[in-house]
């Protein structure tokens, strides 16, 4: 009711208070926050895309997915990579948002997220339906190694090793 009164001008005092609050500058990142491990994010609909480096050479765009147990690449993205730095570990069935999918699991020599390098990360190669320029999903097998927080207003993810 107060917002309606402010909008229609029937309560000028409340309208002035609302205008004052809306005009105040907002701090996007908490004062004193450690930004040394802030990783830029790109907003995509309701999700966020982060850039990672695989095997010290390939830069990939991955959708941050806390519901994915394992980091996954599309088959097309995997085909574009130099495979000499991957070890095939086996095949398993994955339960994805698009239903069950059989995928190969490979071990990378390294995955770099921001300034953090993770040796020997497992990745799944799946028939994922993503936007054309997204290479896959950044899953919890990587994210659980960090305390992480997404700052939506700053468009960044803070990470700190556990």
């Amino acid at each position: 009711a107060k917002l309606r009164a402010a909008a229609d001008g029937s309560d000028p005092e409340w309208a002035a208070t609302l205008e004052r609050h809306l005009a105040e500058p907002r701090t996007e990142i908490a004062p004193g926050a450690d930004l040394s491990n802030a990783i830029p994010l790109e907003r995509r609909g309701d999700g966020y895309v982060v850039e990672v480096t695989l095997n010290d050479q390939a830069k990939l765009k991955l959708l941050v997915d806390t519901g994915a147990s394992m980091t996954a690449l599309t088959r097309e993205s995997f085909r574009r990579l130099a495979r000499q730095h991957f070890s095939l570990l086996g095949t398993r069935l994955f339960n994805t948002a698009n239903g069950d999918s059989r995928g190969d699991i490979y071990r990378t020599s390294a995955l770099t997220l921001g300034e953090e390098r993770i040796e020997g990360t497992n990745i799944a190669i799946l028939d994922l339906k993503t936007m054309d320029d997204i290479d896959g999903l950044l899953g919890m097998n990587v994210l659980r190694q960090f305390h992480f927080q997404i700052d939506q207003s700053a468009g960044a993810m803070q990470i700190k090793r556990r």
Side-chain angles (χ1 to χ4, degrees), residues 68-72 118 121-124 137-145:
S69 60
M70 186 179 294
T71 297
I118 305 159
T121 302
N122 291 351
I123 58 169
L137 307 172
L138 181 65
M140 288 306 295
N141 66 319
V142 170
L143 292 170
R144 82 169 57 93
Q145 298 180 45

Side-chain angles (χ1 to χ4, degrees), residues 26-46:
R26 300 284 183 227
T27 303
E28 294 182 343
I29 299 174
D34 178 11
L35 300 179
S36 59
N37 281 333
I39 302 165
L41 296 174
E42 182 182 333
R43 182 89 185 213
R44 293 294 182 93
D46 290 331

Side-chain angles (χ1 to χ4, degrees), residues 73-84:
L73 299 181
T74 66
R75 289 193 192 281
E76 182 57 35
S77 294
F78 187 67
R79 278 188 207 107
R80 290 192 311 259
L81 301 175
R83 292 199 184 163
Q84 66 271 16

Side-chain angles (χ1 to χ4, degrees), residues 14-94:
W14 179 249
T17 301
L18 182 60
E19 286 297 319
R20 214 173 31 256
H21 284 292
L22 291 174
E24 289 176 1
R26 300 284 183 227
T27 303
E28 294 182 343
I29 299 174
D34 178 11
L35 300 179
S36 59
N37 281 333
I39 302 165
L41 296 174
E42 182 182 333
R43 182 89 185 213
R44 293 294 182 93
D46 290 331
Y48 293 94
V49 174
V50 65
E51 186 175 274
V52 302
T53 304
L54 211 54
N55 295 336
D56 300 318
Q57 58 185 347
K59 293 198 181 300
L60 302 170
K61 288 185 175 187
L62 301 181
L63 184 68
V64 177
D65 188 349
T66 59
S69 60
M70 186 179 294
T71 297
L73 299 181
T74 66
R75 289 193 192 281
E76 182 57 35
S77 294
F78 187 67
R79 278 188 207 107
R80 290 192 311 259
L81 301 175
R83 292 199 184 163
Q84 66 271 16
H85 292 91
F86 298 98
S87 302
L88 179 62
L89 300 178
T91 300
R92 86 166 227 220
L93 192 62
F94 291 87

